[in-house]
């Protein structure tokens, strides 16, 4: 009985007449590897020769074969035993190589560590499977190399594939079983890829021909117009080239009409209305010389013609108006201020009627008269109006200067609603949010002016601004909005172009600059975990995977928005993270001088954050490092416990100020029997910038309702009270002096901020 090795049948094999072909080709599917966008077209390929089947005999089977001559039934035993051994060896080979990567499978062959390779059936099956997997890996690499190649138009695709095939087969000295699995797959890739390459070359040649015709038509039109030729003559000269282009460049009349429309569009952008009109209205003839009407009369081009002629007319008008813009603007400006010389305007209008229409001329004259009349009628009230306006500007400037002082002293978080005088002489409330936003805008404008004065590049200017805001611990609302908009802007449509939209480019540049220079400031500008996860995933893709901006943004979208996304090493790395997290946390907490009282909270947060980084593909140690970094940017150590502060706009010495408030509570309420180690603070759920004092023994708020909550304002008042007490002790002021200080009139524009000039740095 003839033995055949499954999977090694030559490509030309066919079953005998009357039998069904039950063999199944191992063709790559969408789940394995395939050349994207290839259209199969038959072409000659290398001939595949079936390798000789390995020997199916051994000493025991040879003995059985000899005995079968005595007892024919032994022949069946021989066949069954041979088939069983072959099947067992092939299964062992498939199982062995199935648990390896391609590189591992190659290394095993090269090192000779697989003892079963001495069995011919095991050897044949293993090498055939290795050939198949090598072929899929190779065709993926070749497909990528081809698609990114800059010379696709001149590449010999078959030679390109053949060189790779020759190298791969040569690695195993032309092993026939390796070739049996490798060659059929690469032959299919050669056919389909060759068809794609041929189409690419054809498309390239067609595009070059069309561009050549466009440039020829446009150059001829511009040259003849510079010579002063009539527009109709120019169009006729262009049309006379149609026949030659059709014969030599293989472009029919319709394709050349399309290029002429492109020429018209280019001329329209230049405001060349006369030539554009001539192109669309000139009569045309077909290849047979018969009239076919103008481009304007063509159903194919009438919409484009209407649009382009409108553009030409608009641009022509714009050019005409620009030529007279300076004079027209000057007369409008004079009229708006009542300083127009009527005789000068009339003389200019008579000399150049295009300067104004009749209605515009009369309107300018009337505007001048109206302004003169208004100035006369308002003369009596002008002094009062100017005074109120100056007072309003002074009031606003004083408030702005106060806020800048607060910013520079680190007291901007403590300001409250202020008041300014408006231009009607009335008091007007300015909210805390508007004051902080105005202070940030003013500070940003001054930084921008300084950057421009020093002729900084955009990257240097951004770094300069980040450094300025970071040194003052100040939030810039516009940056917060830019960062918050990035995940929403990262749509497939926005990422499909050659360049990133400005919103995404600005957001990613801002994030990376702030991350490198001021991570604490960055945490205050990102207000939710979704945005924070998005940018973390983006940064990991750029720093660890070497992705460009577009690829990194797409990876960030996939990680943060696809619930089914999972890194191949996710499970293994997550297990390692969960095992290491407690020891890791103990390590970085042990570096400080203060015992951390809420270590379980820290371990839980570090584990949760590290899980996210593992999902992004980082190894366990790197993930824990990044988790620690992010945890510390969102939490601060207050009285021995880490407290989540997130994106709150907090003063630089918030932990010391909060500890002062806790110490004050313990001193004021001794009846509760609390010590400093018994209490901590936690963010209050129903408010921003509000914390509640908790008894760590019970987990409940402390007893006194009036003092269980602390705010930035209450912290500032306590700080100010300590400063005043210290000042009283040092200068030894009397009760009379204290009374005098209380009777001191308040500023005309009260802002109710701490005494910025006497701000004392809290103790470390």
């Amino acid at each position: 009985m003839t033995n055949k090795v499954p999977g090694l049948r030559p490509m030309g094999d066919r079953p005998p007449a009357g039998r069904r072909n039950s063999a199944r080709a191992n063709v790559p599917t969408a789940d394995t590897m395939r050349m994207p966008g290839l259209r199969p077209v038959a072409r000659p390929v290398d001939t595949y020769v079936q390798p000789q089947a390995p020997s199916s005999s051994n000493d025991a089977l040879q003995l059985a074969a000899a005995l079968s001559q005595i007892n024919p039934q032994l022949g069946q035993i021989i066949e069954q035993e041979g088939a069983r051994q072959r099947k067992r060896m092939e299964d062992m080979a498939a199982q062995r190589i199935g648990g390896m990567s391609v590189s591992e499978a190659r290394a095993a062959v090269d090192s000779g560590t697989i003892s079963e390779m001495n069995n011919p059936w095991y050897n044949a099956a293993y090498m055939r499977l290795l050939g198949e997997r090598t072929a899929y890996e190779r065709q993926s690499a070749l497909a990528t190399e081809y698609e990114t190649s800059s010379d696709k138009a001149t590449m010999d695709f078959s030679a390109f594939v053949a060189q790779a095939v020759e190298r791969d087969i040569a690695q195993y000295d032309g092993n026939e079983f390796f070739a049996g699995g490798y060659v059929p797959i690469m032959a299919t890739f050669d056919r389909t890829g060759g068809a794609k390459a041929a189409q690419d070359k054809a498309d390239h040649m067609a595009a070059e021909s069309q561009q050549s015709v466009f440039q020829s038509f446009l150059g001829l039109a511009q040259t003849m117009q510079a010579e002063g030729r009539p527009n109709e003559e120019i169009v006729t000269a262009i049309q006379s080239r149609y026949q030659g282009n059709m014969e030599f460049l293989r472009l029919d009349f319709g394709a050349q009409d399309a290029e002429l429309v492109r020429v018209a569009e280019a001329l329209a952008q230049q405001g060349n209305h006369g030539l554009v009109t001539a192109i669309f209205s000139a009569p045309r003839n077909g290849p047979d010389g018969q009239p076919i009407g103008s481009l304007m009369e063509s159903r194919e081009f009438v919409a484009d013609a209407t649009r382009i002629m409108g553009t030409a007319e608009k641009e022509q008008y714009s050019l005409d108006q620009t030529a007279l813009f300076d004079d027209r603007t000057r007369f409008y400006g004079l009229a708006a201020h009542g300083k127009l010389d009527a005789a000068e305007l009339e003389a200019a209008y008579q000399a150049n009627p295009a300067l104004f229409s009749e209605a515009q001329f009369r309107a300018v004259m009337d505007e001048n008269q109206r302004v003169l009349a208004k100035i006369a009628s308002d003369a009596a009230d002008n002094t009062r109006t100017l005074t109120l306006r100056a007072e309003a500007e002074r009031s606003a400037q004083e408030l702005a200067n106060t806020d800048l002082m607060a910013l520079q002293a680190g007291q901007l978080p403590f300001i409250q609603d202020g008041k300014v005088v408006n231009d009607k002489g009335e008091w007007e409330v300015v909210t805390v949010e508007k004051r902080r936003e105005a202070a940030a805008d003013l500070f940003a404008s001054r930084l921008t002016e300084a950057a421009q004065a020093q002729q900084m590049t955009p990257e240097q200017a951004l770094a300069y601004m980040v450094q300025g805001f970071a040194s003052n611990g100040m939030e810039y609302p516009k940056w917060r909005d830019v960062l918050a908009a990035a995940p929403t802007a990262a749509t497939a449509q926005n990422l499909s172009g050659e360049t990133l939209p400005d919103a995404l480019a600005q957001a990613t540049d801002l994030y990376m600059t702030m991350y490198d220079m001021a991570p604490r400031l960055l945490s205050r500008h990102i207000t939710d975990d979704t945005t924070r996860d998005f940018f973390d995933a983006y940064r990991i893709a750029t720093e660890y995977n070497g992705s460009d901006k577009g690829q990194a943004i797409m990876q960030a979208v996939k990680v943060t928005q696809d619930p089914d996304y999972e890194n191949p090493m996710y499970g293994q790395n997550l297990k390692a993270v969960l095992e290491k997290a407690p020891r890791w946390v103990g390590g970085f907490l042990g570096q400080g001088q203060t015992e951390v009282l809420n270590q379980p909270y820290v371990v839980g947060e570090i584990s949760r954050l590290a899980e996210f980084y593992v999902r992004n593909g980082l190894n366990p140690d790197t993930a824990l490092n990044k988790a620690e970094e992010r945890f510390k940017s969102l939490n601060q150590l207050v009285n021995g416990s880490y407290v989540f502060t997130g994106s709150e706009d907090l003063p630089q010495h918030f932990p010391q100020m909060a500890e002062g408030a806790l110490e004050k509570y313990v001193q004021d309420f001794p009846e509760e029997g609390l010590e400093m180690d018994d209490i901590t603070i936690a963010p209050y759920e129903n408010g921003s910038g509000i914390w509640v004092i908790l008894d760590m023994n019970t987990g409940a708020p402390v007893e006194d309702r009036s003092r269980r909550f602390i705010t930035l304002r209450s912290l500032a008042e306590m700080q100010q009270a300590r400063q005043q007490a210290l000042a009283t002790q040092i200068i030894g002021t009397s009760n009379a002096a204290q009374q005098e200080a209380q009777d001191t009139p308040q500023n005309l524009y009260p802002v109710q901020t701490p005494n910025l000039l006497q701000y004392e740095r809290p103790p470390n």
Side-chain angles (χ1 to χ4, degrees), residues 536-537 540 545 555 559 565 567 611-618:
D536 269 355
I540 290 169
N545 301 338
Q555 175 69 8
V559 171
Y565 174 80
N567 184 275
E611 187 272 339
F612 168 76
Y613 291 118
V614 165
R615 192 164 181 258
N616 274 272
L618 297 186

Side-chain angles (χ1 to χ4, degrees), residues 134-151:
T134 301
Y136 288 132
E137 181 184 60
R138 177 61 62 194
Q139 75 174 18
S140 175
L142 292 179
T144 301
E145 183 177 351
Y146 172 77
E147 289 298 335
T148 56
S149 174
S150 59
D151 60 346

Side-chain angles (χ1 to χ4, degrees), residues 45 163 169 212 276 314 406 421 431 457 460 536 538 601 682 700 716:
V45 297
Q163 291 172 1
I169 292 181
S212 174
V276 170
K314 176 183 175 182
V421 176
T431 64
T457 65
Q460 291 172 332
D536 269 355
Y538 167 82
Y601 163 74

Side-chain angles (χ1 to χ4, degrees), residues 561-583:
Q561 298 183 17
D562 183 359
D564 297 326
Y565 174 80
E566 185 172 295
N567 184 275
M569 297 296 292
Y570 171 74
Q572 178 180 341
N573 287 342
L574 177 60
K575 180 179 179 182
V577 161
L578 295 178
E579 291 175 351
K580 289 185 175 184
R583 297 193 303 274

Side-chain angles (χ1 to χ4, degrees), residues 5 56 122 147 338 533:
V5 180
S56 60
Y122 186 98
E147 289 298 335
D533 288 347

Side-chain angles (χ1 to χ4, degrees), residues 330-331 334 339-350 355:
R330 184 172 65 86
F331 284 124
L334 291 171
K339 298 180 180 181
L340 179 67
D341 185 334
E344 181 188 4
L345 173 63
E346 188 167 0
Y349 178 60
Q350 294 297 331
L355 180 63

Side-chain angles (χ1 to χ4, degrees), residues 256-274:
Q256 294 184 68
D257 281 340
E259 295 307 307
L260 185 55
V261 170
R262 287 181 59 205
V263 170
E265 186 159 18
L267 295 171
Q269 297 296 331
Q270 302 171 6
N272 200 334
H273 183 257

Side-chain angles (χ1 to χ4, degrees), residues 578-599:
L578 295 178
E579 291 175 351
K580 289 185 175 184
R583 297 193 303 274
W584 186 279
V585 170
F588 84 76
L589 293 183
Q591 297 172 6
Q593 300 294 324
T594 305
E595 179 184 0
V596 176
L597 303 177
N598 59 340
Q599 185 166 336

